[in-house]
Amino acid sequence: MNAPTELAKVIATQPDPTLGYKTFTLGSFTFARDEYFAHIRWTTRDGRPLSHTMDVGNYLRALMRDVAWGFFYGWVNFDNVVGTVNHYKSVDLYAGSYNGTMKDAGVDLLENFPTDQIRATFEQMLDDWTNEGFDPFAAPQETGTPYGRKRGNNTAKITRARELATRCVGLKGDLPLRTDERGAPVNRAFADVPQDQPELHPEPGFENEVHAFNLFAFLSRSQVTWNPSFTSVVKYSYMCPTTEEHILPIIHGNDRVEWFFQMCDEIHWDCSDKNTGKPLARVIMKAGDMAAMPAYCRHQGYSPKRSMLLVWENGSPNLVYEIQKGEAPEVPVKF
Ligand code: PHB
Ligand code: FE
């Protein structure tokens, strides 16, 4: 948990005497949970009270990603109504603002918060609402239930350190390889993945420059789903492979182009217009396929079996502004 600052004061009620959960307030939004649902409430710009309901398991899986990824790149839609936009120093929280129908009806609300303030509120909500035995990063078949009245917590699982290599996994002093001893056994779905490592024969003096590792073996030992980690970093080129099972818990709205390489099995993507949610495309990616998601889309993936996906990001902090000014393209290639 980040140390609270004056700005990061969290507004929460006492736990509900029956259900055991706190209700949180952030600006004009309130967040409450019961045994099955998260309820988000706000007042529209013309003064009408509105509410939105999400399955609490889906809500906590989305909240987990938003917190762990520091609000990610661009839009993190929890569903087609609520979500956040990262402005990298501040964050917008919205309801209906990127839903064409709600926007047209004028029932949307968007408020901007300093990143520390929304982060502190989201972290405490995630901790209070996550019960013992439920891991929002785990595949649904590999964890317990999110439902019911408050039962303990699962703080260790919701505060995992993000795995970010500085140069490359396995280099001296960098993110280590995953092993049984480090608590990373091979996943049930990847029992057939060879675990051998490549031979390295660098010239003397280049031992820390020439490098290789078995990425399939590394991924076979991922304990979580839909959580890209940095395995190699060259300037702003971030290789972020991840293992996927069930549904990407957020609908990601791009503020830049990103690339997908399907390394095994398959993922089905729904792609829609970033601003309205209007459906644009279905992309069925099978082992070996590559795709690029343009900067104007939002996308959500469905992985019927645990699969390996390489996400390739351009992490340049200027890119989003270059795209806004028309200096960088929204698509990777024009035909
Ligand atoms: C994405 O939004 O592009 C994304 C996020 C998490 C993943 C995979 C893809 O695990
Ligand atoms: Fe994405």
Side-chain angles (χ1 to χ4, degrees), residues 187-212:
N187 184 268
R188 73 196 198 291
F190 295 137
D192 57 342
V193 174
Q195 296 292 317
D196 54 327
Q197 292 295 334
E199 284 182 30
L200 280 163
H201 303 283
E203 291 291 317
F206 291 88
E207 293 82 355
N208 202 27
E209 309 298 328
V210 176
H211 183 61

Side-chain angles (χ1 to χ4, degrees), residues 190 193 215-221 241-244 261-267 303 305-310:
F190 295 137
V193 174
L215 178 57
F216 285 95
F218 182 77
L219 286 175
S220 73
R221 293 173 176 276
T242 150
T243 54
E244 320 298 44
F261 169 38
Q262 189 68 40
M263 292 175 58
C264 75
D265 298 285
E266 64 184 70
I267 298 181
S303 187
K305 284 167 62 186
R306 204 179 191 85
S307 71
M308 298 182 181
L309 175 71
L310 178 66

Side-chain angles (χ1 to χ4, degrees), residues 82-97:
V82 297
T84 57
V85 192
N86 196 354
H87 298 291
Y88 306 100
K89 289 197 176 84
S90 68
V91 175
D92 293 338
L93 172 66
Y94 57 81
S97 310

Side-chain angles (χ1 to χ4, degrees), residues 148-225:
R149 297 183 183 187
K150 188 163 169 65
R151 285 182 325 278
N153 56 46
N154 204 1
T155 308
K157 291 287 196 279
I158 63 166
T159 54
R160 287 180 175 97
R162 222 179 147 191
E163 292 185 74
L164 304 176
T166 315
R167 292 167 66 208
C168 189
V169 165
L171 273 175
K172 205 167 149 224
D174 213 324
L175 202 65
L177 292 173
R178 295 172 179 150
T179 60
D180 288 352
E181 296 70 40
R182 293 203 183 91
V186 174
N187 184 268
R188 73 196 198 291
F190 295 137
D192 57 342
V193 174
Q195 296 292 317
D196 54 327
Q197 292 295 334
E199 284 182 30
L200 280 163
H201 303 283
E203 291 291 317
F206 291 88
E207 293 82 355
N208 202 27
E209 309 298 328
V210 176
H211 183 61
F213 72 104
N214 181 343
L215 178 57
F216 285 95
F218 182 77
L219 286 175
S220 73
R221 293 173 176 276
S222 167
Q223 304 304 297
V224 295
T225 59

Side-chain angles (χ1 to χ4, degrees), residues 71-136:
F71 302 98
F72 208 32
Y73 299 109
W75 284 251
V76 172
N77 297 281
F78 286 31
D79 64 1
N80 279 311
V81 177
V82 297
T84 57
V85 192
N86 196 354
H87 298 291
Y88 306 100
K89 289 197 176 84
S90 68
V91 175
D92 293 338
L93 172 66
Y94 57 81
S97 310
Y98 299 96
N99 173 307
T101 306
M102 293 178 78
K103 187 89 193 154
D104 288 347
V107 297
D108 57 302
L109 183 70
L110 179 150
E111 286 180 347
N112 182 263
F113 300 97
T115 301
D116 281 350
Q117 187 187 0
I118 181 166
R119 183 200 293 119
T121 305
F122 276 17
E123 281 177 353
Q124 290 194 23
M125 191 185 329
L126 180 63
D127 196 39
D128 188 63
W129 291 9
T130 302
N131 286 319
E132 174 183 19
F134 175 64
D135 177 354

